[in-house]
Amino acid sequence: MRYIIIGAGAVGGAVGGRLAEAGHDVVLVARGAQYAALRDRGLRLVTPDGPRTHRLPTVDGPEALGELRAGDVLVLAVKTQDSVAALDAWGPAPVAGGGTAAERLPLFCAQNGVEGQRLALRRFRRVYGVCVWLPATFVEPGVVSAAGTPLTGILHLGRFPHGTDDTARAVAADLAASRIEAPVVADVTRWQYAKLLANLANAIEAVGGVIGGEDGVALHDRVRAEGEAVLAAAGIPYASAEEQKEARADKIRLVPLDGSERGGGSSWQSLTRGTGTIEADYLNGEIALLGRLHGVPTPLNDLLQRLANDFAREHRPAGSMPMSELVRLAADAAAAAPVAADDAGASAS
């Protein structure tokens, strides 16, 4: 199989680099400065094993590859807000022997949240969900660090919306040979919703910096509690803390890497890179959406979604709002929020 990594940033670059190191055929897809750097200088992957440079085929779209191969595997690793553009570009791409990528090729959505695979299933017939536990950092164009050891990451994967098949197992075997554990599960969304709850903290970190101190930890707990209440109201199951702890065990230990300090998670990195967009609509915004559908107020996630988008749009520095100010805004938002019963009564009247 040839792996086409659509979005060779932090996670995509780490996965693509590890697959290439294990001898697999890999094509990187990127845009802008990242595309130019990967094309001209290769992918420099920094891990606890040391830095390596991988000279891999790099394109900025399907046209540069011509016809795709029948054995190609597409890995969608762009941020969710960039999914539609990527799917629109790659779905119609012709495949040798007839048909299009959307009709014939498997698409693995290695993304935070749950919306990317929903968008993909509108276009692609064979969609696979991936729950990404892989600490990676976009250091600069062409350079990605992945600080985990002895494993680089753990990617639970399975058919979306449910099930497993031989393709999932074959991809899992290739990843396992590449220092990335990949359990194949029939209920991949259970793991993704558990990760979604953890990712609700991304906006706190992006706006207010490292979550520390009693007030910051208490805010994080309240934001997560909103998410748990929404998933309960929606009847959406998710992997328990015990399951996640057992799955991770001591398989991924972070090691400081010279010249590639890990400043923060994916949302923090989006602000640091100044991309102008952030994934909060598909993390905190997913909780807000489900809350509105099921009559559960989500004032804290609403606030974080808005603030994160403001920071991205206005190119404000990551973590630049004092945590005390964020905590104050959260208290005001919670105090002003209607309770679910009041909402229901207003609707009935």
Side-chain angles (χ1 to χ4, degrees):
M1 295 185 290
R2 179 175 67 168
Y3 290 89
I4 299 177
I5 311 295
I6 304 170
V11 169
V15 171
R18 281 304 202 190
L19 284 168
E21 288 173 14
H24 299 291
D25 198 358
V26 175
V27 175
L28 303 179
V29 183
R31 299 176 300 174
Q34 178 72 343
Y35 165 68
L38 294 173
R39 178 197 60 197
D40 297 342
R41 301 190 298 273
L43 169 67
R44 183 172 174 82
L45 179 61
V46 183
T47 72
D49 311 341
R52 280 91 60 216
T53 297
H54 302 287
R55 299 280 183 174
L56 302 173
T58 301
V59 300
D60 59 359
E63 295 80 8
L65 285 178
E67 280 191 327
L68 300 178
R69 303 173 186 171
D72 283 344
V73 174
L74 306 183
V75 179
L76 186 66
V78 299
K79 297 290 176 61
T80 304
Q81 64 268 27
D82 298 319
S83 293
V84 170
L87 294 167
D88 285 347
W90 288 88
V95 178
T100 65
E103 293 168 333
R104 295 187 57 194
L105 300 184
L107 177 76
F108 286 75
C109 297
Q111 301 170 293
N112 285 334
V114 295
E115 184 64 20
Q117 58 207 15
R118 295 175 183 156
L119 295 170
L121 201 59
R122 295 177 185 272
R123 297 164 171 80
F124 280 75
R125 294 179 182 176
R126 298 168 61 196
V127 175
Y128 298 75
V130 182
C131 178
V132 180
W133 286 339
L134 196 161
T137 300
F138 180 97
V139 179
E140 61 183 53
V143 182
V144 169
S145 72
T149 189
L151 292 179
T152 298
I154 301 174
L155 307 182
H156 284 75
L157 54 88
R159 287 293 295 260
F160 179 76
H162 49 75
T164 64
D165 62 15
D166 289 342
T167 298
R169 286 183 283 272
V171 169
D174 285 351
L175 289 169
S178 308
R179 306 277 295 270
I180 298 173
E181 186 173 296
V184 178
V185 293
D187 54 354
V188 67
T189 57
R190 287 185 66 251
W191 295 91
Q192 291 174 311
Y193 277 105
K195 178 76 182 312
L196 173 65
L197 289 174
N199 285 145
L200 298 180
N202 286 22
I204 301 176
E205 179 187 63
V207 172
V210 176
I211 301 173
E214 185 176 340
D215 288 344
V217 171
L219 172 60
H220 168 261
D221 291 345
R222 292 196 299 273
V223 169
R224 182 184 174 96
E226 277 189 2
E228 292 175 345
V230 162
L231 295 186
I236 295 174
Y238 55 92
S240 68
E242 291 73 20
E243 287 179 278
Q244 295 177 72
K245 182 178 180 180
E246 182 178 356
R248 294 180 184 182
D250 57 353
K251 300 173 183 176
I252 301 178
R253 177 172 50 87
L254 298 185
V255 175
L257 300 173
D258 292 340
S260 56
E261 181 179 354
R262 180 175 170 80
S266 57
S267 296
W268 171 287
Q269 292 181 49
S270 291
L271 294 182
T272 301
R273 292 176 62 188
T275 62
T277 66
I278 200 166
E279 58 191 341
D281 285 348
Y282 305 101
L283 301 178
N284 307 90
E286 180 69 24
I287 297 304
L289 169 63
L290 290 171
R292 291 164 194 155
L293 289 173
H294 297 280
V296 180
T298 59
L300 301 184
N301 281 281
D302 293 351
L303 172 68
L304 289 170
Q305 179 186 4
R306 175 176 62 80
L307 289 175
N309 280 314
D310 288 348
F311 266 58
R313 183 177 58 256
E314 298 166 7
H315 296 278
R316 296 170 65 179
S320 59
M321 177 178 286
M323 185 62 72
S324 59
E325 175 67 6
L326 180 56
V327 169
R328 183 190 67 78
L329 291 173
D332 291 346
V339 297
D342 287 346
D343 287 346
S347 299
S349 63

